[in-house]
């Protein structure tokens, strides 16, 4: 008998974030409101998790406060991901990290291997700012190119992720036809616990 089960690994959760979304005129029933609950992997990628955690809560810098609240998710690729976090220009050309304009790729230990994986958007190696994306399904070919640092957890959150994934896009295939607004974001440390998820592609073996 050939087994076709991917390798599972335990990842430690150090903090949780909640992002509240508003999508005006989502359907004939009106606006859509909902939250994504996100487990953050601060033991594996401490810098990357701290950057998201801090901007989620709001962090003051000489240029002003960096925060996700009242920004929009500017990019959506059907059946792949949606992208948010441009806290400076709002159109995907901006963003800044809490450490400076950008910071380096910490590591690629967390695989982009699960629906709901949250990872840093970038402009190539070592160019992380504040933009991030959330996967609608596993996209392991992105492993080694984007630093993953969190995971959407809970049925209600995953249901909301499906609803966001159903939003139609413009003719450019990346601009969502509905405006996806982050109306609030908060993060807190939690007592550490582990969740099981599919391994990164370099470790993933079918047993």
């Amino acid at each position: 008998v050939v087994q076709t089960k991917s390798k599972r690994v335990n990842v430690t959760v150090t903090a949780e974030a909640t992002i509240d979304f508003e999508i005006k005129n989502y359907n004939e029933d009106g606006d859509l409101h909902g939250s994504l609950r996100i487990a953050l992997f601060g033991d594996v990628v401490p810098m990357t998790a701290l950057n998201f955690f801090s901007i989620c809560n709001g962090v003051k810098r000489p240029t002003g406060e960096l925060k996700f609240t009242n920004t929009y998710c500017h990019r959506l690729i059907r059946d792949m991901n949606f992208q948010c976090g441009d806290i400076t220009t709002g159109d995907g050309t901006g963003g800044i990290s809490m450490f400076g304009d950008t910071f380096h790729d910490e590591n690629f230990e967390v695989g982009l291997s699960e629906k709901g994986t949250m990872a840093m958007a970038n402009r190539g190696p070592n160019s992380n700012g504040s933009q991030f994306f959330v996967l609608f399904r596993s996209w392991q070919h992105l492993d080694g190119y984007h630093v993953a640092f969190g995971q959407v957890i809970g049925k209600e959150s995953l249901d909301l992720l499906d609803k966001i994934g159903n939003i139609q896009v413009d003719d450019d295939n990346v601009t969502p036809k509905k405006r996806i607004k982050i109306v609030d974001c908060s993060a807190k440390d939690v007592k550490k616990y582990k969740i099981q998820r599919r391994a990164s592609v370099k470790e993933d073996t079918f047993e």
Side-chain angles (χ1 to χ4, degrees):
V1 177
V2 177
Q3 298 294 315
T4 55
K5 190 169 68 174
S6 59
K7 184 177 179 182
R8 311 292 292 178
V9 293
N10 289 319
V11 185
T12 300
V13 177
T14 58
E16 288 186 5
T18 302
I19 308 178
D20 297 331
F21 290 95
E22 176 187 73
I23 302 165
K24 294 273 193 187
N25 303 309
Y26 176 75
N27 57 21
E28 62 274 5
D29 295 325
D31 302 343
L32 175 65
H33 299 269
S35 301
L36 292 184
R37 181 178 161 215
I38 298 132
L40 299 176
F41 306 136
D43 277 359
V44 184
V45 278
M47 271 185 75
T48 311
L50 177 63
N51 182 65
F52 180 86
F53 183 104
S54 301
I55 299 174
C56 183
N57 284 328
V59 59
K60 288 184 168 53
R61 283 293 174 264
T63 53
E65 187 178 26
L66 311 180
K67 61 180 181 179
F68 294 128
T69 300
N70 293 322
T71 62
Y72 290 87
C73 301
H74 60 277
R75 181 178 172 92
L76 188 151
I77 301 176
R78 298 291 302 273
D79 203 36
M80 185 175 178
N81 64 20
F82 76 106
Q83 189 166 318
C84 317
D86 183 347
I87 57 176
T88 55
T89 63
D91 61 4
T93 62
I96 185 174
S97 85
M98 67 175 290
F99 309 113
D101 285 349
T102 60
F103 65 103
H104 66 271
D105 293 328
E106 199 165 7
N107 62 61
F108 301 108
E109 289 182 27
V110 179
L112 284 90
S113 49
E114 296 273 352
K115 173 183 178 179
T117 301
M118 182 174 280
M120 296 301 294
N122 61 41
R123 299 183 186 88
N126 302 308
S127 61
N128 302 291
S130 55
Q131 290 191 46
F132 62 91
F133 62 81
V134 184
L135 290 181
F136 296 130
R137 67 179 182 90
S138 173
W139 275 93
Q140 282 184 304
H141 72 273
L142 297 175
D143 281 1
Y145 296 96
H146 296 271
V147 178
F149 61 89
Q151 173 74 46
V152 174
I153 53 174
K155 184 179 183 305
E156 286 187 9
S157 292
L158 291 168
D159 287 348
L160 177 66
L161 185 61
D162 288 340
K163 290 175 181 175
I164 293 173
N166 286 331
I167 292 173
Q168 298 296 314
V169 293
D170 287 339
D171 291 341
D172 62 4
N173 291 321
V174 296
T175 303
K177 289 192 172 187
K178 308 291 184 184
R179 290 185 58 120
I180 306 166
K181 184 179 183 180
I182 296 175
V183 293
D184 198 14
C185 191
S186 61
K188 63 182 181 183
D189 291 318
V190 296
K191 184 178 179 181
K192 291 182 181 181
Y193 65 93
K194 292 183 184 295
I195 61 174
Q196 196 175 81
R197 58 196 314 281
R198 188 177 179 182
S200 62
V201 71
K202 65 181 170 52
E203 297 176 341
D204 199 5
T205 53
F206 287 90
E207 298 167 347

